[in-house]
Amino acid sequence: MTQVGLFLLLVAATGIYAVRWTARLAPLGSELPIKTLFATLLSGLVVVAEFAGLTVSPTLLLTTLILGPLFVFAPLAVTGLARVARFGLALLITQALYWTAEGRLGMKRLLTQVALQRGDGDAALRLLPAGEPLMLAQAYALKRDWEQVLELRLPERGDNAFLGYAARVRALLALGRAEQAANELEQMRRGWEEQGRGPIGYRNLRLSEARLLAEQGSFEEARKTLEGVPGLPVHLVFEVLAIAAERGGNLESALKLYAQAYVRAPEKLRPHFAEVLARHEKTPPKVQRSAGATGTVTLVVVLALAYAAQLWLDGRFDPLRIGGGLLRPSSVLGGFLLNLPAPEVGAWWRFLSYGFVHGNLIHIGFNLWVLFDVGRLYESRRGWGNLLMAFAVGTFMGAYLTSLAQSGDVLILVGASGGVLGVAGALLADALRGRGGSDGVLTRSLLQWMALIVLLSVAVPNVSLWGHAGGVVGGLLWGFVRQGLPVSRRFDLLIGGIAIGVIVFALLEVARLGLRLL
């Protein structure tokens, strides 16, 4: 399969999920999902033509290479910009790519949802499309403008309607109208029983029940009500429990819980919790800055530099004759080789060094993209040292499982996919045992993505199924083992140091072999 075909296969596979996603933001027959669907089908058509050996005209190929990535990845890019509060730039992209009112409204819904997740009520109100009372209620609730919430005419049918019910219960309780809040909650229960018991309704019903119990000072009942409810923001859980403790007369516990809510809340919501603490002459705790993504970015840069060195090496020296065929010098030196008469073919360092050699630009580009996404998530939970160890273990296991499953085959294994999937596997292990509301969503997303990787590994020639599977297995093993090891910065530094030492030693062995052969 050509590089262009592989790239368009990636676009088409991503587009399948993007179509489902955009169809939730705008009517199926409107511009936003139609453009995404068209880009997906066009990319898939070119891929099918390549598999069938048909010739695609240069005009169609160029059109596909422009429109395919543009309308499949645009919603993802806009979401990324919104998550870092670049709403202006996100709107400019929206205006440039979508020209109908429905298309732009769909993207504005997306931007508003991100603003609500960030706790930014002001941004949500600026972005909010007309005729979206549920989002408006959530924005007013973020700003604690309770009277405005109660003045809205909110829908009463559908799973999303329970967002409105929950906002009204919260507003009534905040205004001291507990009896009306109880009546609203009872109506909410009847609606949930009658309308199919959807996940959004369940989450908001349990949250509203806990809020009413908290107002009555029933701490244990509120805690049990919230226990195990998926998708609840952690700061909301702490806030409800803090209210329960305060109403129950346990001010000391309440202040500790408010402090935790302050730490866990999005930045835009922290002033409220700071004000509550200040009323009791308590200073808000210092919020530790996120560890960032230093390890992830560094690893991405190292892999990119290794690819640049590989291009220089392969361009500077002629291919080497190995086993009756010509192989690139980079593959001979650093690839994981099976049943080939190459120097030091079974050396231990090849189980790691192959991760720093890539087949082509699309190959490394995809690996770096995925590593940047999943690496940041795992590093934010476990730190850079554990990230590097997960990458190293996943890389090793990718080669090891390949050597077992394909012991009789002649093959060359290259690429960081095993290490990247090692990081993803370690992240999955964390999410599987996590108790946060977002862990369930993360688990489902990772499993769906891994299933897609398996399908690609089976469908696309020269893509290593066992290398990918070994990476996931290695990552899961490391992820679960890590949960049983000491939790300390010193230990994480030790883990990171070991990973760096082993990787550097493997790459030095590649350099040594290169000096001897070339």
Side-chain angles (χ1 to χ4, degrees):
M1 194 171 194
T2 65
Q3 293 188 42
V4 170
L6 186 59
F7 174 67
L8 291 178
L9 179 62
L10 168 65
V11 173
T14 307
I16 294 171
Y17 292 99
V19 168
R20 293 175 56 194
W21 184 30
T22 53
R24 297 192 191 108
L25 299 170
L28 189 57
S30 62
E31 182 189 22
L32 178 56
I34 281 180
K35 280 186 171 177
T36 309
L37 178 61
F38 176 74
T40 302
L41 292 176
L42 195 59
S43 301
L45 178 65
V46 173
V47 172
V48 170
E50 182 170 318
F51 269 116
L54 302 176
T55 302
V56 177
S57 70
T59 302
L60 177 60
L61 184 60
L62 180 61
T63 302
T64 306
L65 285 172
I66 293 172
L67 297 183
L70 193 62
F71 290 110
V72 167
F73 294 127
L76 302 177
V78 166
T79 303
L81 288 169
R83 284 176 177 165
V84 293
R86 299 296 178 88
F87 293 107
L89 183 54
L91 281 173
L92 283 176
I93 294 174
T94 296
Q95 299 286 344
L97 296 182
Y98 301 98
W99 310 319
T100 65
E102 282 188 328
R104 290 175 175 177
L105 281 175
M107 292 301 289
K108 282 189 174 181
R109 288 189 188 98
L110 174 60
L111 293 174
T112 305
Q113 288 174 2
V114 176
L116 292 172
Q117 291 168 1
R118 286 173 48 82
D120 194 340
D122 291 324
L125 290 174
R126 289 196 306 271
L127 296 162
L128 193 65
E132 297 287 345
L134 288 175
M135 286 187 177
L136 190 57
Q138 293 174 76
Y140 283 143
L142 287 175
K143 293 175 63 63
R144 299 182 183 270
D145 197 340
W146 308 120
E147 294 290 355
Q148 291 277 25
V149 172
L150 297 178
E151 288 177 9
L152 292 172
R153 185 179 180 85
L154 299 173
E156 298 179 357
R157 306 294 298 178
D159 202 25
N160 285 337
F162 291 94
L163 294 166
Y165 280 119
R168 288 182 60 83
V169 169
R170 187 179 182 188
L172 289 167
L173 289 174
L175 294 171
R177 294 151 65 175
E179 186 175 345
Q180 287 180 264
N183 293 336
E184 189 78 21
L185 179 59
E186 188 57 37
Q187 185 177 346
M188 191 177 184
R189 287 195 187 101
R190 287 198 300 270
W192 187 66
E193 292 285 347
E194 294 170 0
Q195 295 182 43
R197 304 186 177 190
I200 296 176
Y202 173 74
R203 182 165 57 247
N204 284 279
L205 175 60
R206 296 297 294 272
L207 178 60
S208 299
E209 289 173 341
R211 286 191 186 281
L212 196 63
L213 289 168
E215 196 65 29
Q216 297 165 359
S218 303
F219 181 87
E220 279 302 316
E221 288 82 351
R223 184 186 63 78
K224 290 177 182 178
T225 301
L226 293 175
E227 200 170 61
V229 179
L232 283 179
V234 177
H235 74 277
L236 279 185
V237 175
F238 280 120
E239 181 185 24
V240 172
L241 295 180
I243 292 172
E246 186 176 9
R247 297 292 187 272
N250 191 345
L251 185 58
E252 183 179 354
S253 294
L255 293 177
K256 290 179 180 178
L257 290 164
Y258 278 126
Q260 286 297 317
Y262 175 88
V263 170
R264 299 297 188 95
E267 187 175 354
K268 292 287 185 178
L269 298 182
R270 285 181 188 149
H272 165 72
F273 297 112
E275 184 180 323
V276 173
L277 291 168
R279 284 203 303 265
H280 296 282
E281 299 181 349
K282 293 289 185 181
T283 303
K286 185 177 180 180
V287 179
Q288 292 185 352
R289 296 186 64 182
S290 172
T294 305
T296 303
V297 172
T298 301
L299 186 54
V300 165
V301 170
V302 169
L303 287 168
L305 291 175
Y307 185 64
Q310 173 188 337
L311 292 178
W312 174 85
L313 182 70
D314 291 341
R316 175 69 176 79
F317 297 95
D318 294 331
L320 300 174
R321 185 168 295 279
I322 301 292
L326 295 176
L327 300 181
R328 296 182 306 179
S330 58
S331 297
V332 174
L333 297 179
F336 179 74
L337 310 177
L338 269 181
N339 301 315
L340 282 167
E344 303 186 49
V345 65
W348 72 265
W349 43 264
R350 288 188 181 275
F351 285 78
L352 292 175
S353 62
Y354 81 93
F356 295 83
V357 182
H358 285 83
N360 51 51
L361 188 60
I362 299 297
H363 189 197
I364 188 172
F366 180 67
N367 280 335
L368 294 187
W369 171 34
V370 177
L371 175 61
F372 187 68
D373 274 346
V374 300
R376 288 179 301 161
L377 288 174
Y378 187 60
E379 186 175 358
S380 68
R381 301 167 76 112
R382 290 289 181 177
W384 66 266
N386 294 286
L387 167 85
L388 295 182
M389 184 58 77
F391 180 85
V393 173
T395 303
F396 180 87
M397 286 298 296
Y400 180 68
L401 194 57
T402 299
S403 71
L404 294 180
Q406 298 182 262
S407 59
D409 296 343
V410 175
L411 64 82
I412 304 169
L413 184 64
V414 295
S417 304
V420 172
L421 283 161
V423 176
L427 179 61
L428 178 60
D430 255 25
L432 285 170
R433 288 191 173 176
R435 297 182 179 180
S438 60
D439 286 319
V441 176
L442 179 58
T443 297
R444 288 192 296 273
S445 298
L446 286 170
L447 289 175
Q448 289 173 356
W449 174 71
M450 288 175 181
L452 176 60
I453 294 295
V454 170
L455 290 176
L456 290 175
S457 302
V458 173
V460 180
N462 300 320
V463 175
S464 175
L465 170 63
W466 297 109
H468 288 156
V472 174
V473 170
L476 285 170
L477 286 174
W478 169 249
F480 287 128
V481 167
R482 181 63 189 90
Q483 293 170 21
L485 296 175
V487 178
S488 70
R489 179 174 174 79
R490 181 175 295 180
F491 188 79
D492 291 344
L493 289 174
L494 174 63
I495 291 295
I498 293 172
I500 291 173
V502 174
I503 291 172
V504 169
F505 190 24
L507 295 180
L508 288 175
E509 288 295 296
V510 173
R512 177 191 59 77
L513 180 61
L515 290 174
R516 182 160 67 87
L517 292 181
L518 303 176

